[in-house]
Amino acid sequence: MSLLTVLHYPDPGLRKRAQTVTSIDESIRILARDMLETMYAQRGIGLAATQVSIPLRVVVMDLSEDRNAPQIFINPEILTTEGIGEGEEGCLSVPGFFDKVPRAQRITFQYQDLDGRLIAAPAEALLAICMQHEIDHLNGKLFIDYLSRLKRQRLRKKIGKAERDPAPVL
Ligand code: GNR
Ligand code: NI
């Protein structure tokens, strides 16, 4: 088991489009396991491989209260969407920042499991929101891209400042 480093905005790695997984082999199993470990360590409910510098279409999630229901989605794709709603979102790659994002309320999506089986399923509520958030990551998109220019400018200013003035070493 190994913990992976989660990239933070504005790291350019977060803007890469992830490639389709063509062979679900041992390396993908290890990646999924390490991503779950990393997600649990950071108290996230989902994680996309692009966030840990691996440009492959792999997503992990655990939406359960008890943090004991890991889910792995290979090559997830949205098939249909219905309705529109707004929910508060956060992202492990934009720590400490939360805002409302418009998302489809209900979706159907497909993915492959670790055995390569193609599965189609409906989603609503938190699963629908999180699946859209994670598939955006695989396409190099972040939830802050949906904010107004003003809000994004304010966020960039806040983060830019922190990066320009690093804490002095001793
Ligand atoms: O932990 C997370 N919480 C969350 C809350 C609302 C909408 C989406 C998310 S996903 C986020 C983890 C993450 O950054 N996944 O990419
Ligand atoms: Ni995220």
Side-chain angles (χ1 to χ4, degrees):
M1 303 275 277
S2 15
L3 285 176
L4 307 171
T5 301
V6 176
L7 299 180
H8 287 175
Y9 173 79
D11 193 299
L14 292 168
R15 297 308 188 177
K16 285 195 183 145
R17 188 185 159 83
Q19 301 298 305
T20 301
V21 173
T22 52
S23 159
I24 302 172
D25 56 18
E26 185 62 12
S27 71
I28 296 297
R29 276 171 234 286
I30 290 169
L31 172 63
R33 195 190 60 193
D34 290 346
M35 285 173 60
L36 279 166
E37 190 189 359
T38 303
M39 179 192 78
Y40 286 127
Q42 303 221 0
R43 312 240 177 289
I45 61 172
L47 190 68
T50 36
Q51 291 178 276
V52 291
S53 307
I54 307 290
L56 289 173
R57 304 189 84 80
V58 177
V59 164
V60 298
M61 263 183 223
D62 188 332
L63 305 180
S64 70
E65 197 91 331
D66 297 337
R67 315 291 289 151
N68 59 0
Q71 290 185 277
I72 296 166
F73 304 99
I74 314 286
N75 298 325
E77 273 181 54
I78 289 170
L79 301 174
T80 65
T81 66
E82 216 186 300
I84 186 127
E86 266 198 335
E88 187 95 343
E89 296 195 19
C91 181
L92 293 174
S93 295
V94 193
F97 185 81
F98 305 86
D99 214 327
K100 285 189 169 177
V101 181
R103 300 283 190 191
Q105 279 175 317
R106 286 171 303 282
I107 62 171
T108 56
F109 68 105
Q110 67 172 34
Y111 65 95
Q112 285 171 273
D113 65 14
L114 274 187
D115 298 315
R117 280 186 291 251
L118 187 64
I119 294 161
E124 57 178 23
L126 193 54
L127 177 57
I129 291 171
C130 199
M131 188 57 66
Q132 291 171 79
H133 177 113
E134 302 308 343
I135 290 174
D136 271 354
H137 273 303
L138 298 182
N139 295 328
K141 196 169 172 78
L142 302 174
F143 84 101
I144 52 173
D145 299 345
Y146 294 95
L147 304 180
S148 69
R149 282 179 60 179
L150 179 62
K151 279 191 180 177
R152 220 172 29 248
Q153 263 166 15
R154 284 201 194 121
L155 175 67
R156 257 206 301 268
K157 209 163 162 182
K158 197 170 107 183
I159 290 170
K161 203 167 191 169
E163 284 177 351
R164 273 198 303 279
D165 301 320
V169 182
L170 290 181

